[in-house]
Amino acid sequence: VCVWGQAEPLNSNGQNSLLEEEEEEEEEGEDLFTGSLSVPLVLSLSRSLSLSLSLSLSLFPSATEEVSLDSPERDVLLSDGPSPVTPPASLISPHLPHNHLYTHCSFDEMEEEDTPDLFDISILVSDPEKVGEGMNAYMAYKVTTQTSMSLFKSPQATVRRRFSDFLGLHGKLATRYLHVGYLVPPAPEKSIVGMTKVKVGKDDSSSNEFVEKRRAALERYLMRTAKHPVLLKDPDLLTFLECSELPRALSTQALSGAGILRMVNKAADAVNKMTIKMTESDTWFEEKQQKFENLDIQLRKLHCSLDSLVCHRKELSVNTALFAKSAAMLGNSEDHTALSRALSQLAEVEEKVEQLHQDQAGADFYLLAELLADYIRLIGSVKGVFDQRVRLWQRLQDSLLLLQKKRDAEAKLHANKPEKLQQARDDIRELEGKVQQGERDFEQISKTIRKELFRFEKERVTDFKEVIIKYLESLVQTQQQLIKYWEAFLPEAKAIS
Amino acid sequence: GRGGRDGMNGSEVWMGLGFGRDMSWTPRAVNVDLQTDATLQVDISDALSERDKVKFTVHTKSTLPNFKQNEFSVVRQHEEFIWLHDSFVENEDYAGYIIPPAPPRPDFDASREKLQKLGEGEGSMTKEEFTKMKQELEAEYLAIFKKTVAMHEVFLCRVAAHPVLKKDLNFHVFLEYNQDLSVRGKNKKEKLEDFFKNVVKSADGVLVAGVKDVDDFFEHEKTFLLEYHNRVKDASLKSDKMIRSHKNAADDINRISSSLYTLGTQDSTDVCKFFLKVSELLEKTRKIEARVAADEDLKLADLLKYYLRESQAAKDLLYRRGRALVDYENANKALDKARSKNKDVLQAETGQQLCCHKFEKISESAKQELVDFKTRRVAAFRKNLVELAELELKHAKGHLQLLQSCLGILKGDT
């Protein structure tokens, strides 16, 4: 477990005593995390300090190369206050089973190679089957993977998985990759109401719809995860797709996509509340963040309207069916034969139209609305990795500050107490290492995020284009059917005499 | 040209008839296929919608000698139509006819409310959204306006086409008298009286309907009309609901189109072209969907509503005949009683003769009326169903073409 640096107490001017070079009490006992500094404080380092910072950095040539911090001329705005909760150790570096030694370097290698294998994989989730009875029942889904990639043991694999298995997989992937900047696709949401209906055995259209919705979501989730070149190689994913037996994922509540994201977001919220204003050396990140903010807002708005459309179309379908029945009744009571027949035909047409509306509502939902929902959640992941980057930057700043402090302290110590001096020197060496690591981490996450966003945008463009075309095609079909039905009806109407 | 001005909200909304837009609605004979007779042609040539009333310009062309001119116009309001209708209903001589149903009261309340709400919420939406919604609401208002004009016109045309009613004196006064008829709407007391009258009438109606008719034709008509009326009522309600859902869906498409437009303008990737094109497409298809709903409203919902009223009028005729039959039978009984007691025989005889005459007169004309009703009904349904199908086809084909051309462009792009 790392110990992050401790900030100096603030004097009445709200400035860090570092500047004033006043008392430098080592607040050993004070825990940053519980410090109740709620007012965002702005520190501006004087030029001299920032210069000295860069000087100290230059002692570590490797560090300076990778640092993407500002040039010393620029003011660095820091805000002090409680740091986010220390994440568990596993979040600091990718936590993998022993037989796979992945370091940051090897991640780079993997990406640069860019899979010699052609990306050829198709995953289907199908055949939901209820297993067990009562409240312990669950749905098992068949997962079929077909691929020609050498990564897999065989070109085809079929396994049965339940929802908590998917959540378990996502949990593992998220813990492993999110904090270093990879966009791990979020898993489908849990739904207590939906699942209870299924468990209780309600075999009606709403619980069938729920199962279908979930099945489609699980399929999209797996495909999206598999499309990710790094995640695809993850051993847990491969196990998930290939092994017939899977250890039951425990405490999936904590590990659910929502759970992880919540944890990440909670920390992120704490960060935001303190308004860490990170000086962005890279306008690219600023731009992108703004873009994703806007995209998020618009997608949510669109999703809302689409939901409304699905709702109204379903309503239209129901009302059309009611009208069809009513028209049939009217036709029955009409005593003019030809008119009676025509009215019955009208009723039939409307019945068919009802089905059309129903199908169209389905397309509205499964094609468009679900895509939007997926992307809204993906953007959540994007925001998460952005925040993670800011957090890493913050840690680095903390480390740097602490290092400086220790150095200053050491300078003052030197002659008097040799043991303390040694201790101080050791501490400094440790901190220097930490700073190095922090710089590397920050550098790496920035690089990773850039790559990820590039890939994300490409995928987004493809996804949206594909779905829009499919949707338009569904609309075309509806109109073609409508034409058929009314064309069949017209002569009947004309035949009334 | 012809137009009406609405002075509400200070903004001028031109409502007119036939000013060149794409209208699948003709002012004349919406729900009835009437033979227009050269001796008397009536139409509503203009209409004006003011804050709380509508003023109809009733235009008459006639070769009949009793009119001072061959062509003339007067301005009438809804209450005056009701007065005319009620005068027919109360006229004993017309008991044997299906009285053309009165036009429903012009009801712009809902539309007005919506326009008001829109005005209040102007600040909370973008200029484009506001203009769009305003246009839509104005179109809705216009549609309701056109409908009420059509309903009032159909009433007059039916009267003008009826061989007996067209000669009615009140009708001629209605058409020609160019002053206000000073027919005020019913006050509270009168409305209450009407209410009780209706209660009594429906109770009586049940009694009368219970009497089995010797005449098979009328017995059949009675059963038929009862069932038909109820089913038309149901169909009318359901068609209204269906059309309303259709309109709601079209409104959603509008919002989606706006969202897509914003997305398209914000996006810097390839997909922005898709968003913009689809936004444009949805804008157009929404208009088509709105038209489909409007046409269904005109050709189907209005048709059903009209025949709901006509079938009620036919039921009323049967009721009057049934009433007359009961009176006739009672008069017969009274005559027998008088004869047996040998008291007031002459009185009873005249009474019985009157009842008999009344009953036979009603029966004779009623038969013809009911036959005509069927003919009219069949013709109207045929006309409207054919037009409905043709319009649905036209719109679906237009819609399809738009979709296919958009798809072509987008597919060529990927």
Side-chain angles (χ1 to χ4, degrees), chain B residues 44-60:
Chain B
I44 295 183
S45 59
D46 203 351
L48 195 75
S49 163
E50 286 179 2
R51 180 132 226 128
D52 54 356
K53 55 184 170 232
V54 181
K55 293 195 169 140
F56 303 96
T57 305
V58 179
H59 166 250
T60 313

Side-chain angles (χ1 to χ4, degrees), chain B residues 180-347:
Chain B
D180 194 351
L181 288 175
S182 291
V183 162
R184 52 167 181 74
K186 298 199 170 148
N187 63 21
K188 250 197 217 161
K189 178 159 174 275
E190 284 164 338
K191 282 195 184 150
L192 200 60
E193 281 172 4
D194 269 355
F195 174 71
F196 280 118
K197 257 197 234 166
N198 275 331
V199 169
V200 168
K201 180 171 160 222
S202 29
D204 195 32
V206 172
L207 275 167
V208 163
V211 173
K212 177 131 172 51
D213 209 313
V214 285
D215 190 330
D216 277 339
F217 173 80
F218 284 104
E219 187 59 28
H220 164 83
E221 285 295 308
K222 201 164 56 174
T223 344
F224 161 72
L225 269 174
L226 195 62
E227 193 186 60
Y228 187 81
H229 177 79
N230 289 335
R231 292 192 179 176
V232 159
K233 192 190 272 187
D234 189 58
S236 170
L237 285 170
K238 304 268 161 71
S239 75
D240 272 347
K241 267 178 118 179
M242 177 176 80
I243 290 166
R244 209 172 11 247
S245 294
H246 213 140
K247 288 199 180 121
N248 287 341
D251 284 340
D252 287 326
I253 295 178
N254 208 7
R255 253 170 266 136
I256 291 172
S257 166
S258 298
S259 281
L260 281 174
Y261 181 76
T262 318
L263 269 170
T265 49
Q266 278 181 0
D267 204 299
S268 53
T269 67
D270 240 9
V271 80
C272 80
K273 178 136 75 114
F274 272 60
F275 286 147
L276 290 172
K277 261 255 143 246
V278 175
S279 165
E280 197 188 312
L281 169 76
L282 287 181
E283 175 82 43
K284 294 191 188 131
T285 60
R286 182 207 80 82
K287 288 207 176 90
I288 294 184
E289 290 294 318
R291 277 284 16 190
V292 170
D295 287 338
E296 284 176 350
D297 197 21
L298 275 174
K299 301 295 168 189
L300 198 54
D302 280 354
L303 174 72
L304 292 169
K305 278 198 200 84
Y306 186 79
Y307 279 93
L308 179 61
R309 293 200 298 275
E310 273 254 12
S311 57
Q312 182 60 49
K315 275 171 74 181
D316 290 343
L317 169 62
L318 280 183
Y319 162 71
R320 289 195 292 272
R321 181 179 169 278
R323 179 79 254 165
L325 179 59
V326 166
D327 289 342
Y328 180 30
E329 286 176 353
N330 288 341
N332 275 338
K333 288 193 197 130
L335 181 58
D336 287 340
K337 197 164 154 201
R339 278 193 181 141
S340 66
K341 285 190 181 167
N342 211 357
K343 187 177 167 198
D344 295 324
V345 173
L346 191 62
Q347 195 182 7

Side-chain angles (χ1 to χ4, degrees), chain A residues 369-438:
Chain A
E370 286 285 80
L371 174 78
L372 290 175
D374 282 353
Y375 268 89
I376 290 170
R377 282 186 314 178
L378 275 168
I379 290 178
S381 290
V382 171
K383 286 188 186 173
V385 297
F386 274 130
D387 288 339
Q388 181 63 19
R389 177 174 171 271
V390 171
R391 223 167 296 127
L392 286 187
W393 182 85
Q394 179 59 44
R395 277 187 215 150
L396 181 61
Q397 299 314 302
D398 292 343
S399 302
L400 283 169
L401 265 177
L402 189 61
L403 181 63
Q404 187 56 41
K405 245 180 52 186
K406 292 264 182 196
R407 285 201 176 133
D408 292 344
E410 191 236 3
K412 289 193 180 148
L413 271 181
H414 71 285
N416 319 0
K417 297 155 188 174
E419 324 84 45
K420 264 210 170 171
L421 189 63
Q422 186 54 41
Q423 177 66 43
R425 292 220 173 107
D426 288 337
D427 285 346
I428 287 176
R429 210 154 302 142
E430 197 188 317
L431 269 177
E432 283 167 351
K434 221 163 262 161
V435 164
Q436 248 193 312
Q437 184 61 40

Side-chain angles (χ1 to χ4, degrees), chain A residues 312 319 334 473 494 496, chain B residues 231 245 252 377 382 411:
Chain A
H312 285 138
N319 287 336
E334 172 59 64
E473 285 173 347
K494 286 189 169 156
I496 306 170
Chain B
R231 292 192 179 176
S245 294
D252 287 326
R377 181 175 82 241
R382 181 187 191 282
K411 273 185 173 165

Side-chain angles (χ1 to χ4, degrees), chain A residues 64-135:
Chain A
T64 16
E65 280 163 34
E66 293 162 40
V67 164
S68 54
L69 289 172
D70 278 7
S71 70
E73 325 308 316
R74 289 241 237 139
D75 277 341
V76 174
L77 291 160
L78 294 173
S79 79
D80 213 337
S83 301
V85 174
T86 322
S90 57
L91 278 186
I92 298 163
S93 56
H95 177 75
L96 293 167
H98 310 293
N99 49 343
H100 298 271
L101 291 168
Y102 288 128
T103 62
H104 281 300
C105 310
S106 42
F107 273 140
D108 281 353
E109 275 167 19
M110 284 198 309
E111 288 156 42
E112 261 122 46
E113 266 176 51
D114 222 40
T115 37
D117 257 331
L118 190 62
F119 178 77
D120 161 37
I121 180 171
S122 104
I123 305 179
L124 290 174
V125 174
S126 60
D127 301 311
E129 221 181 72
K130 185 163 161 200
V131 176
E133 279 304 322
M135 287 315 283

